[in-house]
Every structure is written in C-alpha cells, then in structure tokens.
C-alpha cells in the first residue's frame, strides 16, 4: 500500500511539471499572461550596443529608440552627430508608422531642418493641427516668424505634446539642421504615442517576485509584474534560447538578469506578444494633499492642485483604495473642488481619502482656496485691499493671519504694490476676509514705454509692427535701435482718446503715432497698453499741485491736464490705475495738446516708495548720529558734535533732531565697521557686559570691542519704527568725518534700479539713476554708476544681508542709497533694496 502511494505522488509531480513551467507550484498563475523576450534577441542586443555613444548626451534616448526599432545603426555604430536628410526622416516615419511614402519632398537629399522633423512627426502621428487662435507656444520663440506658415499649425501641436521644445529658452531655430541624436531624442519623447500607433503595448509596474526555474532542462527566469494600471503579468527570459529583451539602467544596456525584486520597470510589448525592451523607472511613495481641479473619467485620472500651487495628474487604478468620509467609494463620486489626501507611488494613487465639503456646524464653509478673485491692485492698506477685475472694483478685508506669497515664497504686506496682479483666496463662501494673497505675473512688469509709428498690423497673429521707435528714459525719448519692432498683444488695453479700440481698427491707422507700455516674456515684446497719439506733444516734470478724480483733472507745473482710462500710468515699473496718481507726487507727464486742452498720454510717477509709510503700519527710517551709550539690547544716539544734532532722513532730506534717542538692538541686528569692512558680533552690543572676547577672531576688531572703541563714534542707523518701538535692523560705523552744520549737504540720497551684480568684486551696477536735489526739492537724473558694497550695509526687503549674500540680489530690484561725499568718490553707506 505504501508503495502505491509513493508511485502516485511521483506521477502527480510529473503531471504538474508537464503543465507548468515552474516546479513545485512556483509557476505563474494561468489567469495572468506571460510575455517572452524577442526571438534572436541576443543578436538585436549586440546591434544596439553602439560603440560611439558611450558618453553621448543622448545615449538614453538612442538606446531606447534602437531597442524599439524606431532607428538603427550600422557596423556597430549609431553616428549620432550625422545630419539627416529629408528623405531619411521620411523613411524613419514610414518604417515606424507606415506614413505615406509618396509624401512630397521638394529636396529629398537636402539636410532636414528642425521644422521638417516636427512637421513630419506631426503628420505621421495624425496630430490635429492647431487652429489660428490656438497657436501659443510657437509665438513664445523670438524666431517664430521664420517658421514655414504651412507647417506652423502642426509644429504647434508637436510642441504642445512635448515631443519637441526650443533649441533654447528663446529660440526654436526652425531652419537649423537636425542630427540623428536629436531625432532620437524627439522619438524618445514621443515613445508612448509611437508605441500606441504601432499597436504596441506600453506598461509600467513593479517586479514583486523573481523566480528562477528549470524548464525543459534550461534555466528560465520569470518576473512577476504588478502594473500601475492594476493588471498583472509575467515576463519570461530564456538566456540559453537567446529569447531576451534589452534592459536600460543608468543609461547603459543589460540583459534582463540585472532585474531584481522591487525594481520598477517601463516595458514595451509588440503586437506578437514579445517583450522588446524595458527601462528602469525609479519610483517613490509620497503623500499629496490638495484640491481636485479636474477629473477625466475616460482615462481614469484626476488633476490635483496642491497647497504650493503645483498641479499633479494622478492615475486612479482599479486597485486604488478610495475613501470618502470613511466609506469605500470610486472615482465617479469624486467632484471638482474636493479636498483630498493621496498616497502616491510615482503618479499613481495607492490610496485616496476625500473629504466632504459640507460642514453642518458652519454655514458657508468651503474647501480652503476654492473661492478666489483675480485682479490688479488699486489700493492696499494694513486692513484692506482693493482690486480691479475687468471693469469692476472690489474691496476686501485683510488681517494679520492673511498669508502673502510672491515668487513662490512668503513675503511681507508692504511688498505688494499698486498694479500688481494678485489672486485672493477665501476660506468661507460669504466672508469678505482674504485668506491668502498670491502676487502673480511678477516677472511681467513694464519693461519700458515706446513711441513710434504703426507700420503693420497682423490681426490673425495679434501682432503690431512699430517703425521709428523711441523709448522713454528718465524724461527723454531715445532711439530704440534702427529697426522695426514686432510686438504681440493678448489683451484689450488698446485706446484712442480714452475709449477702447480694436486691433482691427488700428489696422487702418498706418503711419499714425502711438505710445506703448510693453513687457517682455519668453523672449517676446508684448503690448501691455497702447494709446494712439491725438495732438501735439507737451512734456512737464514737477510735483502734482492738485488733483480732482471726478473730473479727471490735475495740475502739474501750473498747467491743468486731464487723464482718462487710456492714460498710461507707470509707478515702480508697474502699470497702475489713474486712481494711483496722487497729490505731491513727482511726475513726468507727456501730454497731447488738442482743442485747447492737455490730455495726459503718459504719467510716470517718479521716485521710490522704499521709505514711504508702510501699509502694515511700519516705517523704515535712516538716522545719522553719535553713539552715546550701549547697553543690553539697546543703544542711545545723540549729537554728532556741539554744532550738529543727530540727523533723520525725512522726505529725502536730512533734518536735525534735538536731544538723544534710544533704539532697540537685537541679536539679528547687523552691525558693521565700514573702516575694517567687518561685521561686529551682535552680542558685543547686545550683551556688552558678558562678552567673551576670545570669540572674536579678528584681532583688530577684538581690541576695538574690548576698549569700547565704538562709543562716541558716528554711524548710520537703519531703524524700523512702529507706533510703540524703534528697532535697529542695521547700523554702519563710518570713518570719522569732520561734520558741521553747514556740511549737512554732504549726505544725500540716490535711487535707481539694479543693472548687474558682481559677486566677486562686491559691487553692483545701478541704472535709471536719480539724485535728490535738496535745493530744488526734486529728483534729478544721473548717470549709471557702480556701487562698492564693501563699505555698505545692504537690506533686502528690510532684511540685512552680509556681503557673502549679495548673490540674493537680482537685476531690476529698486534700490535707495544713502551717500556721503567723504572723498573724491561718493561712498554709499546704506543700501535699501526692494524686490
């Protein structure tokens, strides 16, 4: 009996082995497909092992397109830098996609260009050409006009798909020749769509098991794949039979035995069920929180906007766990604006928890951030913001808990300026209190103001060509090159006599003069606002003596002028509303004199607001005085000498202040010795009685602190004042100067815009320079200059910087400089910079 049982077991094992490739029940489940490597794949592997791309920038793309048989080499080489002909590109498209071979080519043997490659790829993939109003990306390139008009709609479609981009950030180089490596990169970018077109299957997943078994006397490896689309299958690798697939890892190719359990792989299966190729795709789990911005039920994806304003497209797979209020649900029950928390593996949702927006305890509750308003800032105070959206004016409340972001980082309230484009978000459907203010389009402020004559209007492409152009610069019109200028317009801010006018009507105004406020983005010059000239030009520069908003009338240089909706008003490089024109402002006005009246075409509000009263209730004040005493967390300043009290910078002029004054010092106060060009440790002042002098590394500085050298010395003090306190943000000890009452004029102010930064030399270039003339009580134009920062204290948005941090400054920042004529070269001792 025992003998029969033993025989039965042996026969059973033989039977199991005959129907399954795995011994002892290790084989794949019959419910999941098995994909095997390519027959004679070993030979294909050797053909793809090109000897001339080992260090080439495009080797990842080349390996992939060669493995997928989109392109091939010759004699073991790929020849990546060899230019392609039109005939060769068309041949590639025919081989890959079966594109019509009779496609007309005017010069088949000539070198193919970038626009040719884009055009043929678009045709081969049957992309829908972009309509005239959909062509956007192409016009981001300054050389878009060089693209063949017939090819332009398909090239736009290719750009939108991401198959190609510019040769650099500004240019497409449509006529530039294309080599084999560049073509490989384009096909790599389009790989998934090419695969679909060829009836190939593109999958991506994780190896959850790797089994080595003996099958028919040969060692075979099965990779158990769990795919992100919820499917399961096996990949079979039989090295001895040379049925392999190529695997790319770290831009090199390997046989499949390099794969291990836990690896993520993107792989391609041809229409015959053979695995052609796989590529490592590193994936990590992470959590995402945000609100649903879009749902695509056909592709089972959702787009989530996170709380850092980033968008994420997420795949919902059949095995994704979805919970709403603790109950298992599905994608059909999700909705726009819903707050979600998602556990992700790559771009695929493993678990999604959605929250119902209704809160029975709070009528009017919404998902934070789902109610918003967008507009241009008209006015802003410490507790209110007024914006202009379309033709409406809206006012909302702000408070200390209102969040403010600019350039992706948190900023202060005073950094918001009239003319800024902002998005206001709210946490309640009925509230007027703003939860967050995001400053948008910060990089698209006004680049300048042009005047010139209309040469041509391209209504279809929304372009205007300006001839004989001049640019406004500090009260003067300077020639802006000798060539015509092409400007794009995407808005409706086109005016004549204060009334809006269409581009179609401007088309018939050839040779008429216009004023244009323009900005630059993506290499283009864009019309921010245009006004057709309507009279003889008159220019005035003075303070505004009086203004009446109701009648649109103001007085400058004892002349009455009128402003209207078409008036171009610029302040701090921003287009602002005419309501921002105010009494006592220094302005440059360019007006058109017609029918006995002056109508303001351009109002440039001069000066800078860095030292103006802040909307958050603070002020930045610069003092000049002698240090009378230093004590714990405090400093006392007084008279500079027996004839001169300490000074306070008021309305750009130095005013004597009688008596002494106390300020608060903190451990964050920047204390600088401009003679030694060294920072003094703040605790030397903050806790002067408890200094360990050995902590001061510099011997000269150590002796000065030890001997109370700084008491009785003069300094500049940058102070932040509130109604209750005066805090020193930075102070700069200066060399001893012979200062008398009549020499107060040796201190003066300069404003400008940062032109460039030289970190190595510790200097910055300043342009649009103006110096304040205390005799005439106005800003006067100066020349570009270079400021040596080695003797200066610099504050960026009220935060002191060391000289090692000047890399944080950037071009076009506004700067206010406090100078002293203490030598043949005027020295800048305080620089206040606002971004």
């Amino acid at each position: 009996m025992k003998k029969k049982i033993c025989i039965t077991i042996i026969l059973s094992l033989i039977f199991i082995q005959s129907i399954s490739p795995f011994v002892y029940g290790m084989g794949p489940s019959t419910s999941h497909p098995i994909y095997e490597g390519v027959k004679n794949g070993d030979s294909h592997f050797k053909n793809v092992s090109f000897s001339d791309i080992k260090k080439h920038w495009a080797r990842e793309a080349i390996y992939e397109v060669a493995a997928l048989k989109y392109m091939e080499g010759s004699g073991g080489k790929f020849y990546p830098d060899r230019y392609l002909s039109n005939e060769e590109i068309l041949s590639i498209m025919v081989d890959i996609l079966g594109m019509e071979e009779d496609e007309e080519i005017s010069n088949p043997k000539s070198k193919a260009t970038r626009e040719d490659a884009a055009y043929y790829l678009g045709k081969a993939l049957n992309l829908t050409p972009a309509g005239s109003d959909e062509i956007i990306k192409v016009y981001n390139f300054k050389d878009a006009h060089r693209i063949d008009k017939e090819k332009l709609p398909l090239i736009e479609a290719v750009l939108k798909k991401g198959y190609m981009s510019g040769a650099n950030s500004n240019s497409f180089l449509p006529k530039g020749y294309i080599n084999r490596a560049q073509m490989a990169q384009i096909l790599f970018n389009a790989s998934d769509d090419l695969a679909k077109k060829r009836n190939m299957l593109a999958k991506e997943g994780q190896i959850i098991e790797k089994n080595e078994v003996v099958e028919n006397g040969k060692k075979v490896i099965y990779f158990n794949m769990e795919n992100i689309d919820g499917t399961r299958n096996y990949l079979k690798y039989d090295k001895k039979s040379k049925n392999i697939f190529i695997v790319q890892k770290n831009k090199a190719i390997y046989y499949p035995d390099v794969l291990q359990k836990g690896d993520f792989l993107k792989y391609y299966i041809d229409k015959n069920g053979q695995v052609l190729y796989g590529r490592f795709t590193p994936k990590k789990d992470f959590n995402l929180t945000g609100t649903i911005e879009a749902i695509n039920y056909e592709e089972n994806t959702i787009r989530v906007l996170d709380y850092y304003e980033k968008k994420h497209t997420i795949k919902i797979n059949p095995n994704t766990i979805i919970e709403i209020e603790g109950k298992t649900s599905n994608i059909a029950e999700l909705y726009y604006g819903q707050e979600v928390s998602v556990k992700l593996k790559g771009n695929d949702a493993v678990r999604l928890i959605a929250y119902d927006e209704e809160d029975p305890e709070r009528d009017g509750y919404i998902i934070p951030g789902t109610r918003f308003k967008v507009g241009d800032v008209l006015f802003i105070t410490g507790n209110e913001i007024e914006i202009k959206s379309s033709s409406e004016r809206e006012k909302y409340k702000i408070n200390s808990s209102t969040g403010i972001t600019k350039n992706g980082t948190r900023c202060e309230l005073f950094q918001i300026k009239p003319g800024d484009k902002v998005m206001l978000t709210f946490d309640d459907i009925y509230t007027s209190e703003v939860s967050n203010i995001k400053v948008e389009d910060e990089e698209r402020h006004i680049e300048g103001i042009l005047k010139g004559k209309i040469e041509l209007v391209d209504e279809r492409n929304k372009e205007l060509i300006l001839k004989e152009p001049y640019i406004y610069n500090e009260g003067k019109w300077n020639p802006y090159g000798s060539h015509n200028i092409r400007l794009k317009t995407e808005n409706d801010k086109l005016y004549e006599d204060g009334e809006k006018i269409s581009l179609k009507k401007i088309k018939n105004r050839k040779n008429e003069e216009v004023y244009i406020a323009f900005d630059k983005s993506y290499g283009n010059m864009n019309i921010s606002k245009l006004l057709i000239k309507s009279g003889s030009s008159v220019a005035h520069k003075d303070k505004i003596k009086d203004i009446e908003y109701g009648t649109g009338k103001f007085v400058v240089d004892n002349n009455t002028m009128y402003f209207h909706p078409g008036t171009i008003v610029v302040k701090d490089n921003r287009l602002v509303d005419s309501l921002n024109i105010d009494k006592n402002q220094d302005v440059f006005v360019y007006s058109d004199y017609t029918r006995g009246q002056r109508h303001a075409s351009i109002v440039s509000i001069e000066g800078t607001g860095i030292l103006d009263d802040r909307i958050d209730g603070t002020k930045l004040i610069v003092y000049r005085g002698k240090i009378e005493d230093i004590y714990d967390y405090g400093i006392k300043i007084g008279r500079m000498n027996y004839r001169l009290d300490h000074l306070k910078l008021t309305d750009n002029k130095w005013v004597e202040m009688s008596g002494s004054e106390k300020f608060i010092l903190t451990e964050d106060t920047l204390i600088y010795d401009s003679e030694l060009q060294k920072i003094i440790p703040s605790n030397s002042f903050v806790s002067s009685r408890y200094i360990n002098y050995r902590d001061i590394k510099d011997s000269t500085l150590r002796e000065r602190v030890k001997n109370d050298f700084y008491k009785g010395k003069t300094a500049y003090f940058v102070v932040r004042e509130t109604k209750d306190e005066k805090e020193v943000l930075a102070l700069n000890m200066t060399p001893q100067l012979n200062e008398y009452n009549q020499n107060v004029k040796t201190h003066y102010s300069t404003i400008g815009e940062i032109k460039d930064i030289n970190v190595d030399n510790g200097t910055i270039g300043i342009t649009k320079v103006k110096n304040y003339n205390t005799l005439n009580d106005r800003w006067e134009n100066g020349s570009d200059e270079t400021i040596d920062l080695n003797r200066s204290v610099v504050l960026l948005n009220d935060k002191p910087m060391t000289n090692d941090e000047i890399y944080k400054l950037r071009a076009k920042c506004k700067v206010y400089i406090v100078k002293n004529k203490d030598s043949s070269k005027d020295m800048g001792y305080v620089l206040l910079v606002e971004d």
Side-chain angles (χ1 to χ4, degrees):
M1 186 69 181
K2 289 181 180 179
K3 190 173 183 179
K4 286 182 180 180
I5 293 172
C6 182
I7 293 171
T8 302
I9 292 171
I10 292 170
L11 289 172
S12 298
L13 289 173
I14 293 170
F15 178 74
I16 290 171
Q17 188 168 352
S18 68
I19 64 171
S20 171
F22 286 74
V23 295
Y24 306 119
M26 295 288 287
S29 166
T30 55
S31 62
H32 300 311
I34 301 171
Y35 301 111
E36 193 169 352
V38 181
K39 291 179 180 178
N40 298 318
D42 187 59
S43 174
H44 182 48
F45 182 95
K46 292 173 182 176
N47 289 336
V48 174
S49 303
F50 304 117
S51 62
D52 57 347
I53 66 166
K54 301 301 181 182
K55 295 184 179 181
H56 198 278
W57 64 267
R59 62 186 181 278
E60 180 183 29
I62 291 169
Y63 280 136
E64 181 156 317
V65 300
L68 293 174
K69 302 182 180 180
Y70 296 163
M71 295 179 71
E72 57 186 30
S74 175
K77 294 184 178 182
F78 186 78
Y79 303 101
D81 300 320
R82 179 183 292 172
Y83 288 122
L84 288 162
S85 68
N86 280 292
E87 188 177 50
E88 287 172 322
I89 284 202
L90 189 58
S91 176
I92 289 170
M93 297 305 167
V94 170
D95 290 343
I96 296 175
L97 300 169
M99 183 179 174
E100 293 297 330
E101 292 193 48
D102 60 352
E103 175 73 24
E104 291 185 11
I105 305 177
S106 56
N107 296 299
K109 300 298 183 183
S110 63
K111 293 178 183 176
T113 62
R114 285 172 50 81
E115 70 176 1
D116 292 332
Y119 176 73
Y120 292 141
L121 180 63
K123 287 207 72 172
L125 284 170
N126 291 326
L127 297 184
T128 302
S132 59
D133 59 341
E134 298 173 322
I135 298 176
I136 299 171
K137 284 188 172 292
V138 166
Y139 289 131
N140 288 336
F141 301 115
K142 65 183 181 183
D143 55 0
H145 63 284
R146 299 186 63 215
I147 297 174
D148 188 327
K149 295 294 184 185
E150 292 183 1
K151 296 176 180 177
L152 194 146
L154 267 180
I155 292 174
E156 175 72 17
V158 167
L159 289 171
K160 284 181 177 175
K161 279 285 191 177
Y163 303 152
M164 288 182 72
S165 58
N168 54 53
S169 60
N170 296 323
S171 304
F172 184 73
L173 294 185
K175 310 303 181 187
Y177 298 137
I178 190 161
N179 61 34
R180 287 172 53 80
Q182 292 164 342
M183 192 66 210
Q185 185 65 53
I186 294 169
L187 297 178
F188 175 81
N189 297 341
S191 191
D192 282 358
D193 288 338
L194 291 171
K196 184 185 285 187
K197 196 77 175 174
R198 297 183 74 187
N199 295 317
M200 291 170 57
L201 197 58
K203 283 182 169 286
E204 190 170 1
Q206 185 178 26
I207 301 172
I208 59 173
E209 202 170 16
K210 176 180 177 180
N211 291 312
E212 296 185 11
V213 299
V214 175
E215 185 179 287
N216 298 323
K218 298 179 293 183
K219 187 174 80 169
V220 178
I221 300 178
Y222 284 87
F223 301 98
N224 189 349
M225 302 298 302
E226 183 176 80
N227 301 308
I228 63 176
D229 60 3
T231 61
R232 293 271 296 274
N233 56 256
Y234 295 88
L235 305 183
K236 180 181 177 182
Y237 165 47
D238 178 358
K239 185 175 182 179
K240 193 164 185 179
S241 297
K242 300 183 179 179
N243 293 347
I244 71 164
F245 56 94
I246 297 171
V247 175
Q248 182 170 185
K249 180 180 181 181
N250 298 329
K251 300 182 180 180
I253 57 172
Y254 300 89
Y255 286 94
D257 47 16
V258 73
L259 297 170
Q260 300 298 329
K261 179 180 177 181
D263 288 340
F264 281 93
L265 190 70
K266 185 165 188 176
Y267 55 101
Y268 295 83
I269 300 161
D270 69 14
K271 59 185 178 182
N272 298 317
Q274 298 179 115
V275 188
L276 292 175
Y277 163 79
R279 169 167 43 91
F280 272 70
T281 56
K283 292 211 171 190
K284 297 179 181 179
D285 294 354
F286 69 99
N287 294 315
L288 168 69
T289 303
T291 54
I292 296 176
E293 192 180 62
I295 303 173
N296 187 324
Y297 294 107
E298 292 182 1
E299 297 183 5
N300 280 331
T301 61
I302 63 173
R303 189 168 70 236
V304 175
L305 179 68
D306 69 19
Y307 297 131
Y308 298 96
E309 303 297 327
K310 291 183 179 179
K311 297 178 182 180
H312 307 261
T313 299
I314 296 166
K315 180 76 172 179
I316 304 296
N317 300 310
N319 58 347
T320 301
I321 300 171
I322 300 177
E323 293 181 7
I324 301 177
E325 296 298 309
K327 296 180 181 178
T328 303
S329 188
N330 56 59
I331 189 173
E333 295 185 47
L334 301 175
Y335 53 85
Y336 173 85
Q338 192 167 24
E339 187 177 18
V340 292
S341 177
V342 191
K343 181 180 180 182
L344 295 170
K345 188 183 293 290
N347 291 324
D348 306 291
V350 177
R351 185 186 189 91
L352 183 150
I353 300 175
Y355 304 96
D356 194 4
E357 71 173 345
E358 295 180 3
D359 184 344
E361 297 182 359
R362 183 179 175 196
D363 184 28
Y365 172 76
I366 60 171
I367 301 300
T370 56
R371 176 190 166 210
F372 60 90
K373 290 282 186 179
V374 176
D376 297 329
V377 176
L378 279 174
F379 304 103
I380 185 166
T381 67
N383 51 25
E384 279 185 342
I385 183 169
E386 188 171 352
I387 65 172
K388 189 172 185 179
S389 176
S390 300
S391 59
E392 298 179 344
R393 293 174 60 180
E394 303 173 49
K395 187 181 291 185
Y396 300 99
K397 296 177 182 178
I398 54 179
N399 52 45
S400 58
S401 63
T402 300
I404 306 166
T405 56
K406 183 177 182 180
N407 292 332
T409 59
R410 185 173 175 81
C411 70
E412 300 297 330
L413 190 62
F414 69 81
Q415 290 178 250
I416 301 176
K417 305 292 184 184
D420 277 340
K421 191 176 186 65
V422 295
M423 182 172 74
L424 314 179
T425 54
F426 304 82
D427 288 349
D428 193 288
I429 197 168
Y430 302 118
T431 188
S432 62
E433 293 191 351
V434 181
S435 170
N436 190 75
I437 303 172
K438 179 189 174 187
V439 182
E440 298 187 321
D441 292 336
E442 202 275 331
E443 295 300 327
R444 296 196 65 178
H445 292 326
I446 299 305
E447 187 77 17
I449 303 173
L450 298 168
K451 75 170 181 177
K453 294 180 180 179
I454 297 171
E455 170 68 12
L456 178 70
V457 172
D458 183 347
E459 189 181 354
R460 177 177 177 271
N461 294 315
K462 296 182 179 180
E463 290 183 341
L464 180 147
I465 295 177
L466 193 72
K467 67 179 180 180
E468 300 175 25
Y470 287 79
I471 188 165
Y472 168 75
N473 183 30
E474 312 302 330
K476 297 179 181 178
W477 292 102
N478 300 320
Y480 192 73
S482 58
H483 58 282
N484 294 348
I485 300 174
R486 184 183 297 270
L487 300 109
K488 293 190 67 65
T489 177
E490 297 292 343
N491 61 46
D492 60 350
K493 291 187 177 181
L494 312 172
Y495 292 88
E496 182 179 24
D497 293 330
E499 299 294 329
K500 285 190 176 180
I501 184 172
S502 68
L503 197 61
K504 185 175 183 179
K505 289 185 177 180
I506 295 177
K507 191 174 183 178
N508 302 319
R509 311 298 286 271
K510 186 175 180 178
N511 291 322
E512 291 196 27
E513 277 196 283
V514 291
Y515 305 106
I516 297 174
F518 73 98
D519 63 68
K520 285 186 177 179
S521 63
Y522 307 109
N524 294 325
M525 293 179 70
N526 307 286
I527 297 174
S528 298
K529 193 171 186 178
L530 176 149
L531 178 66
I532 295 178
K533 184 181 177 182
S534 59
S536 302
S537 300
V538 182
H540 296 277
K541 186 173 183 181
D542 202 353
K543 287 185 180 294
I544 295 177
K545 300 296 191 298
D546 194 18
I547 187 166
E548 295 178 7
Y549 297 105
T551 59
K553 183 170 63 176
F554 64 113
V555 178
V556 176
D557 200 14
N558 296 320
N559 290 281
T560 299
M561 304 184 193
Y562 294 86
F563 58 87
H564 50 68
T567 301
I568 296 172
V569 185
V570 177
K571 180 182 180 182
D572 292 331
N573 294 337
R574 296 162 169 85
L575 258 186
V576 298
D577 195 271
S578 55
L579 293 170
N580 291 111
I581 303 172
D582 209 351
K583 194 175 179 180
N584 295 322
Q585 286 174 333
D586 282 305
V587 294
F588 169 83
V589 182
Y590 209 73
S591 61
D592 292 340
Y593 185 77
T594 179
R595 296 184 295 275
Q597 292 183 337
R598 291 175 171 85
H599 295 271
S601 302
I602 300 168
V603 178
S604 176
I605 301 172
E606 309 290 280
T608 180
I610 292 179
L611 291 180
D612 291 348
D613 289 358
R614 302 289 174 73
I615 56 180
D616 58 2
T618 65
K619 290 191 291 188
L620 207 61
I621 305 289
V622 181
Y623 289 87
R624 172 84 169 146
K626 183 177 290 186
I627 299 173
E628 289 189 353
D629 196 10
I630 303 169
Y631 48 94
D632 290 348
Y633 295 100
I635 192 166
K636 182 179 179 182
I637 74 167
R639 298 174 65 92
M640 288 198 286
N641 56 51
Y642 73 99
R643 297 185 61 182
L644 184 62
D645 282 311
H646 73 277
L647 305 173
K648 179 180 179 180
L649 189 58
T650 307
D651 292 332
N652 307 302
K653 295 177 289 188
W654 290 95
V655 178
E656 287 190 67
M657 309 294 293
S658 61
S660 301
E661 205 153 356
K662 290 183 179 180
F663 302 138
I664 294 172
L665 290 177
T666 72
E667 293 185 6
D668 293 319
T669 301
L670 177 67
I671 303 171
Y672 192 65
D673 185 325
S674 63
E675 185 178 26
L676 296 180
Q677 299 181 19
K678 295 185 182 297
I679 293 175
I680 305 168
S682 59
N683 59 9
S684 303
F685 280 67
V686 171
S687 305
S688 56
R689 288 173 292 181
Y690 310 104
I691 301 170
N692 185 346
Y693 298 111
R694 287 175 296 181
D695 292 339
I696 304 174
K697 305 300 182 185
D698 185 88
S699 59
T700 306
L701 192 59
R702 182 169 59 246
E703 289 303 310
R704 286 190 171 190
V705 172
K706 188 174 181 179
N707 298 322
D708 285 336
F709 174 84
Y710 294 110
K711 288 185 180 179
K713 300 299 185 293
T714 54
Y716 289 100
F717 301 82
V718 183
V719 179
R720 178 165 52 201
E721 295 190 0
T722 65
K723 62 180 180 179
D724 300 317
E725 296 180 326
K726 297 180 180 181
E727 174 195 354
V728 180
L729 301 178
L731 66 89
N732 190 359
M733 307 286 181
T734 58
Q736 285 302 109
L737 306 172
N738 293 321
E739 301 188 71
Y740 300 96
N741 185 276
Q742 64 266 32
N743 289 333
V744 171
K745 298 185 187 66
T746 62
H747 305 277
Y748 70 102
S749 301
T750 294
I751 60 174
E753 189 177 278
I754 295 179
K755 183 179 180 181
D756 52 59
I757 303 102
N758 189 320
V759 176
D760 295 331
N761 294 337
T763 61
I764 58 173
I766 305 294
T767 189
K768 298 182 181 178
V769 174
K770 291 187 176 68
N771 299 307
Y772 196 80
N773 187 323
T774 55
L775 294 177
N776 297 330
D777 197 19
R778 67 169 63 174
W779 292 102
E780 296 182 345
N781 296 331
S783 303
D784 289 4
E785 57 182 277
T786 300
I787 303 295
D788 185 347
L789 302 183
N790 293 304
R791 292 202 172 195
S792 310
V793 289
V794 182
L795 288 84
L796 174 62
N797 298 324
D798 288 9
K799 294 181 180 178
M801 304 171 62
T802 65
N803 283 357
D804 293 336
E805 296 177 306
I806 67 169
Y807 68 88
K808 295 180 180 178
L809 300 175
R810 60 178 187 155
K812 298 188 179 180
C813 286
K814 304 287 284 186
V815 59
Y816 189 107
I817 308 169
V818 176
K819 291 181 176 178
N820 192 293
K821 293 179 179 290
D822 59 358
S823 68
S824 59
K825 182 180 180 181
D826 298 352
M827 295 302 302
Y829 284 111
V830 176
L831 280 84
L832 307 176
V833 184
E834 194 169 276
D835 186 353

